[in-house]
């Protein structure tokens, strides 16, 4: 295997869909929890941004290879 193939395999290993989808879904879930909690206005303030970041991340990650 030449250096280019090794580098390509390394990049493909980092950009697999499964782990990144789990991170994006966790971010969305965390944003929803931040949205419905009654204790901190700061968490509530950042909840929309967190949900949006998770959603955009999920859309991007859904194009990654299996």
């Amino acid at each position: 295997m030449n250096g280019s193939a090794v580098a390509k395999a390394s990049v493909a290993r980092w950009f697999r869909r499964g782990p990144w989808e789990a991170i994006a879904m966790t971010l969305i879930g965390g944003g929803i929890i931040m949205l419905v909690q009654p204790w901190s206005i700061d968490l509530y303030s950042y909840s929309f941004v967190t949900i949006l970041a998770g959603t955009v991340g999920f859309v991007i990650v859904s194009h990654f290879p299996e």
Side-chain angles (χ1 to χ4, degrees), residues 1-12:
M1 209 187 277
N2 61 14
S4 176
V6 170
K8 197 172 199 179
S10 177
V11 170

Side-chain angles (χ1 to χ4, degrees), residues 27-64:
L27 203 58
I28 293 169
I32 291 171
I33 290 171
M34 291 166 62
L35 184 66
V36 299
Q37 59 81 31
W39 304 287
S40 173
I41 193 70
D42 291 330
L43 289 178
Y44 178 79
S45 299
Y46 286 105
S47 65
F48 177 74
V49 174
T50 306
I51 294 169
L52 183 63
T55 304
V56 169
F58 189 85
V59 169
I60 292 169
V61 166
S62 69
H63 292 89
F64 284 5

